[in-house]
Amino acid sequence: MAEKVTLKSSDGQEFQVDEEVAFQSITVRNMIEDTGSEFAVPLPNVNGVTLSKVLEYCNKHSEHQKQLDKALDDQARRALDKTVNQWDKDFINVDQAVLYFVTLAANYLNIKDLLQLCCQTVADIIKGKTPEEIRAYFHIKNDFTPEEEEEVRRENQWAFE
């Protein structure tokens, strides 16, 4: 039976998960290797709602890895990968605030594949949008003067072609 690890969110929620699930986070792995798993691992930068979402991802990918290990041939592995890739797309199809907090959590927890999924999702969102559309989507105030903005456009003309 897998060893259990308790993770404690910034708002005090505790989540008990298998060590292999928790160890998808390099941050958690390092903390446990340094201090042990006797007590709950504090995660002060991740709230309970976000941690729950991150653990959903980690659980799915832990199960996916177990299935890959049992797969008998490349065709079975490709089918499993296709299934998990679709699951990932559905999983990350969330509102802007959730995407933001999951991205921050993936970065803080050092979960490379989840961070990559989040960043690719943001890249897909902004692809083909003008700077003004991107600012509007992310509620970013334009703090450039017209002259500064023109200078940036001139220096980076390649990006606007």
Side-chain angles (χ1 to χ4, degrees), residues 6-125:
T6 303
L7 306 176
K8 188 173 184 177
S9 67
S10 62
D11 52 359
Q13 293 184 51
E14 292 190 356
F15 299 84
Q16 194 170 49
V17 297
D18 289 341
E19 192 174 69
E20 67 188 34
V21 172
F23 277 17
Q24 288 183 51
S25 163
I26 304 302
T27 302
V28 170
R29 179 185 303 156
N30 290 341
M31 291 172 79
I32 289 173
E33 287 174 354
D34 289 347
T35 63
S37 60
E38 183 179 338
F39 301 103
V41 176
L43 301 173
N45 294 355
V46 185
N47 67 40
V49 171
T50 303
L51 185 55
S52 176
K53 186 79 172 161
V54 169
L55 291 174
E56 179 184 354
Y57 175 90
C58 291
N59 276 310
K60 178 65 176 181
H61 281 260
S62 178
E63 287 302 314
H64 174 67
Q65 188 57 55
K66 288 178 188 173
Q67 291 172 335
L68 283 177
D69 292 344
K70 292 178 185 175
L72 299 175
D73 58 27
D74 286 342
Q75 184 176 357
R77 286 183 192 87
R78 283 192 298 276
L80 288 168
D81 284 342
K82 185 177 180 181
T83 301
V84 84
N85 288 342
Q86 183 58 54
W87 185 91
D88 283 352
K89 287 179 186 175
D90 296 340
F91 168 83
I92 206 63
N93 185 17
V94 294
D95 65 45
Q96 185 180 12
V98 173
L99 178 59
Y100 174 76
F101 286 114
V102 170
T103 303
L104 290 178
N107 185 50
Y108 168 70
L109 294 170
N110 199 355
I111 303 172
K112 181 183 159 211
D113 291 341
L114 179 56
L115 182 59
Q116 185 174 347
L117 176 64
C118 292
C119 290
Q120 184 62 56
T121 301
V122 172
D124 292 343
I125 289 169

